[in-house]
Amino acid sequence: MIVTKKACITTSFYLAYLTFLTFSMFGHIPTVGGYLKELTNVGLAIFVIIICFRLRDYSAREGIVFAIFLSYSLFVAFRTGDYGFFKLGMMIFACKGLNFRKIVKRDLYTRILIVVIMLYLWLSGIAPDVTSDYNGVIRHSIGFQNPNHVGIVAFIVIMEILYLSEMHLSVVQYIVALAILMVEDYVAGSRTAEFISLIAIGLATVYTFRPQFYEKRVVKAIMSWGGIICAGLTAVAFFLFKSGNFLAVVLDKMLSYRITNITFYYNRLGISIFGNNSLSVNRTIDSIYGFSFIVLGIIAFLIIMMAYYKLERILYQSNMPLAIIMFCLFVYGLSERLWMYIDYNIFMLVFAELIYPQFTSYGHDNTLSDEER
């Protein structure tokens, strides 16, 4: 009976998350996008039911933390039009007692299935092939939103392989990871995703053969302060670009005018403590640091930076593979922000570690409370 109850909660949780994931992958397709958008409301309703069903399992501290966070995230959502914080909060609140490793494993299988389905929809002419030209090379989306979305999908799949292998890749896993990157490069050519994936594979190899490398204070400092460092680099690039610095202009061109977009948002919206509504801005800001500071607001930016720092310090002691993955994600944030949304990236659930100690520990099967059973 205990197993059945826990299995029911786990399955309900994943089905609710699946509505988010499905919309993030297929929501841009005209024939199904509207229906999938409505389906995400069903997912939110399931999370609410899970939380209400388990209210007695939460401590007073957890209840206060989530009441504050969900209230703030709703405020940000209404003010900016971005519901990323709110969805993440709902999922973290609902995931207590679940096995993170099993969730990631299910997610990996689901993403592989999604890629197969998307290829079928693309070949059938149902999902559009969005193309872009980079220095004379045509990049394809093969049914996904855009070529960079293909890069994100490939990157997350590789991170899941790294995590499930505990960073000890077999020869076959190395071949699979590199094959994914080669195919992604040939089709979509998402350079940042490829570069960060190679960094992650390199860091995993170091962890396998020389784990003592991560005991060095400088390495720990770089990884722990990774988010702050990347935010600082973004700020320096922004101010140099605004001053007309030649190197910053060249860097902007190399980054497909991402610094230009940050400058455009800054000039259009300015800076706010509580964020700005960017729905009327007709271009995209890809940097997580520029987006969180200008669109989500100074408070949200500080929350993200402090949460990353605290999380990385915890993972450094308890789960080095996840510490490496989260570090790579925040480096990826220099030029891509979609991974910040749990709709696209299940690893955002790792922030539950800040609330539920050992939630992500290998071999730690968090059990439901007696009251919940």
Side-chain angles (χ1 to χ4, degrees):
M1 184 64 184
I2 294 176
V3 175
T4 302
K5 174 86 52 119
K6 183 173 183 180
C8 179
I9 293 174
T10 301
T11 301
S12 298
F13 176 90
Y14 196 77
L15 285 176
Y17 161 68
L18 192 59
T19 65
F20 294 169
L21 178 62
T22 303
F23 177 68
S24 71
M25 296 296 175
F26 301 104
H28 63 288
I29 302 176
T31 54
V32 298
Y35 299 106
L36 295 178
K37 176 63 175 177
E38 294 300 322
L39 197 60
T40 60
N41 295 327
V42 176
L44 279 174
I46 294 175
F47 282 129
V48 171
I49 292 172
I50 292 174
I51 292 169
C52 291
F53 182 71
R54 306 176 58 195
L55 280 178
R56 290 183 298 175
D57 196 53
Y58 299 105
S59 67
R61 170 184 167 274
E62 292 166 352
I64 293 173
V65 168
F66 281 111
I68 295 173
F69 183 81
L70 291 179
S71 297
Y72 171 72
S73 64
L74 269 179
F75 172 76
V76 170
F78 291 144
R79 183 175 174 86
T80 68
D82 190 290
Y83 285 80
F85 262 20
F86 179 71
K87 290 181 180 179
L88 177 61
M90 290 291 288
M91 286 190 64
I92 289 178
F93 201 10
C95 77
K96 184 176 183 179
L98 304 186
N99 188 304
F100 179 70
R101 184 180 177 84
K102 290 182 179 179
I103 293 174
V104 173
K105 193 172 184 178
R106 286 189 182 188
D107 191 65
L108 175 59
Y109 295 152
T110 302
R111 286 175 188 272
I112 293 173
L113 178 61
I114 284 174
V115 171
V116 173
I117 294 174
M118 187 64 81
L119 288 174
Y120 171 77
L121 294 176
W122 168 54
L123 293 173
S124 301
I126 299 174
D129 182 24
V130 179
T131 60
S132 64
D133 186 325
Y134 181 77
N135 291 336
V137 177
I138 303 300
R139 304 168 62 206
H140 297 268
S141 73
I142 57 173
F144 290 94
Q145 294 178 32
N146 52 58
N148 284 342
H149 190 194
V150 180
I152 293 174
V153 173
F155 175 77
I156 296 300
V157 167
I158 291 174
M159 294 306 102
E160 290 179 329
I161 292 173
L162 291 177
Y163 170 70
L164 293 173
S165 69
E166 301 185 29
M167 293 287 175
H168 298 296
L169 294 177
S170 65
V171 174
V172 173
Q173 289 169 326
Y174 270 115
I175 293 174
V176 169
L178 293 176
I180 291 173
L181 287 179
M182 291 176 65
V183 172
E184 188 281 329
D185 181 66
Y186 178 77
V187 173
S190 182
R191 297 166 300 153
T192 306
E194 296 161 12
F195 180 65
I196 304 300
S197 295
L198 289 174
I199 289 178
I201 293 172
L203 292 174
T205 303
V206 172
Y207 180 70
T208 298
F209 296 103
R210 293 198 63 185
Q212 62 271 24
F213 171 78
Y214 293 96
E215 297 174 5
K216 297 180 179 180
R217 293 181 63 181
V218 64
V219 176
K220 183 177 181 180
I222 291 174
M223 292 183 64
S224 298
W225 292 91
I228 304 295
I229 293 171
C230 290
L233 291 174
T234 302
V236 170
F238 166 74
F239 286 114
L240 288 176
F241 180 78
K242 277 183 65 69
S243 67
N245 181 272
F246 174 75
L247 292 178
V249 173
V250 173
L251 178 63
D252 179 52
K253 186 176 181 179
M254 292 175 59
L255 294 175
S256 301
Y257 303 101
R258 283 175 167 83
I259 306 176
T260 294
N261 289 340
I262 294 176
T263 305
F264 181 86
Y265 266 71
Y266 173 79
N267 293 334
R268 180 76 175 270
L269 301 176
I271 297 175
S272 169
I273 294 177
F274 298 110
N276 296 289
N277 192 313
S278 64
L279 297 181
S280 61
V281 183
N282 60 350
R283 65 172 67 186
T284 301
I285 181 170
D286 291 318
S287 166
I288 183 180
Y289 304 101
F291 180 82
S292 60
F293 194 80
I294 298 173
V295 178
L296 298 182
I298 296 175
I299 292 178
F301 171 80
L302 293 176
I303 289 175
I304 293 171
M305 293 298 101
M306 289 187 294
Y308 170 80
Y309 174 78
K310 185 174 181 180
L311 176 67
E312 198 72 357
R313 301 283 289 190
I314 293 172
L315 294 177
Y316 217 89
Q317 302 299 323
S318 63
N319 196 319
M320 183 56 69
L322 271 181
I324 293 172
I325 289 173
M326 296 307 292
F327 171 73
C328 290
L329 281 170
F330 272 76
V331 174
Y332 194 8
L334 286 167
S335 66
E336 184 58 66
R337 67 177 172 86
L338 281 183
W339 64 262
M340 181 179 70
Y341 297 98
I342 199 160
D343 315 52
Y344 292 85
N345 174 25
I346 194 62
F347 284 110
M348 287 300 291
L349 202 60
V350 174
F351 282 98
E353 184 75 27
L354 298 176
I355 310 298
Y356 315 127
Q358 295 189 317
F359 172 73
T360 60
S361 296
Y362 282 113
H364 183 83
D365 187 12
N366 297 290
T367 55
L368 305 178
S369 67
D370 292 335
E371 292 91 342
E372 195 170 7
R373 294 170 183 172

